[in-house]
């Protein structure tokens, strides 16, 4: 698969986490392990919805959503149904991120509509491994976009899923 992926084609990923440092860590960790990823980071869920409202055809192909979004902000599980009800967010695979991966949180995440659940790593090396695993798994599931040879628009990675 690696030989087939164009290193210059980006794969937009929406990252919603109240900790701005997480976005920086994820970007740094993915430079070598998921170079196609272009992380669009938001610290508040309403910012992410506003982004989707104004987004053109280059919508994110994956969402990484923190389960705990800080005091005074709705949590990720409360936001997930809003994302699922948004016309542009309905089909986006959503990975819930959490510092704690207890059975109750995992169960609630899936019941709320999460596609997957991922425990946040405690080290930079762990983030690098997670980003490599995300690339490998989601690249296979949604087909990382290939750069068209004729310069036309990149096809949707969901074509395989729609057929």
């Amino acid at each position: 698969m690696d030989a087939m992926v164009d290193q210059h084609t980006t794969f937009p990923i929406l990252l919603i986490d109240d900790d701005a440092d997480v976005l920086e860590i994820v970007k740094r960790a993915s430079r070598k392990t998921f170079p196609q990823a272009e992380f669009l980071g938001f610290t508040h869920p309403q910012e992410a919805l506003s982004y989707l409202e104004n987004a053109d055809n280059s919508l994110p192909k994956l969402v990484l959503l923190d389960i705990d979004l800080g005091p005074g902000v709705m949590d990720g599980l409360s936001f997930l149904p809003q994302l699922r009800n948004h016309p542009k967010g309905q089909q986006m695979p959503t990975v819930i991120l959490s510092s704690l991966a207890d059975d109750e949180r995992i169960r609630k995440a899936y019941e709320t509509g999460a596609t997957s659940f991922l425990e946040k790593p405690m080290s930079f090396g762990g983030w690098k491994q997670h980003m490599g695993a995300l690339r490998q798994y989601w690249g296979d599931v949604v087909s990382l976009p290939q750069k068209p040879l004729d310069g036309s628009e990149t096809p949707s990675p969901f074509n395989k899923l729609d057929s």
Side-chain angles (χ1 to χ4, degrees):
M1 162 133 182
D2 287 348
M4 296 174 54
V5 176
D6 183 340
Q7 296 294 324
H8 302 291
T9 302
T10 59
F11 183 81
I13 297 174
L14 189 64
L15 173 60
I16 306 165
D17 195 305
D18 63 314
D19 185 350
D21 290 338
V22 169
L23 176 60
E24 186 58 33
I25 290 167
V26 166
K27 282 182 175 182
R28 286 183 51 223
S30 66
R31 281 190 188 133
K32 296 246 188 254
T33 57
F34 199 171
Q36 303 82 4
E38 176 189 355
F39 290 95
L40 310 170
F42 298 96
T43 57
H44 195 283
Q46 293 307 320
E47 295 170 339
L49 282 181
S50 293
Y51 168 80
L52 289 177
E53 282 296 321
N54 298 310
D56 56 11
N57 292 337
S58 59
L59 289 172
K61 308 301 184 238
L62 180 64
V63 178
L64 302 179
L65 174 60
D66 188 13
I67 200 169
D68 295 313
L69 292 172
V73 178
M74 77 172 66
D75 66 28
L77 296 183
S78 298
F79 173 68
L80 188 53
Q82 288 184 16
L83 180 65
R84 289 286 179 245
N85 288 325
H86 192 283
K88 293 180 181 176
Q90 292 174 345
Q91 300 299 318
M92 289 182 196
T94 303
V95 178
I96 294 291
L97 301 175
S98 179
S99 298
L100 302 170
D102 60 72
D103 290 344
E104 183 66 13
R105 281 178 171 240
I106 295 169
R107 184 186 60 74
K108 284 183 180 177
Y110 286 116
E111 285 177 355
T112 308
T115 310
S116 188
F117 187 98
L118 182 64
E119 186 173 9
K120 288 181 178 180
M122 301 306 282
S123 69
F124 184 71
W127 277 108
K128 285 173 67 173
Q129 288 178 340
H130 274 28
M131 291 302 101
L134 278 174
R135 177 184 176 261
Q136 184 176 21
Y137 181 77
W138 290 106
D140 288 344
V141 171
V142 297
S143 298
L144 284 171
Q146 301 296 314
K147 189 170 188 168
L149 297 175
D150 63 1
S152 64
E153 189 174 319
T154 302
S156 167
F158 294 106
N159 291 345
K160 260 189 357 186
L161 299 177
D162 292 337
S163 47

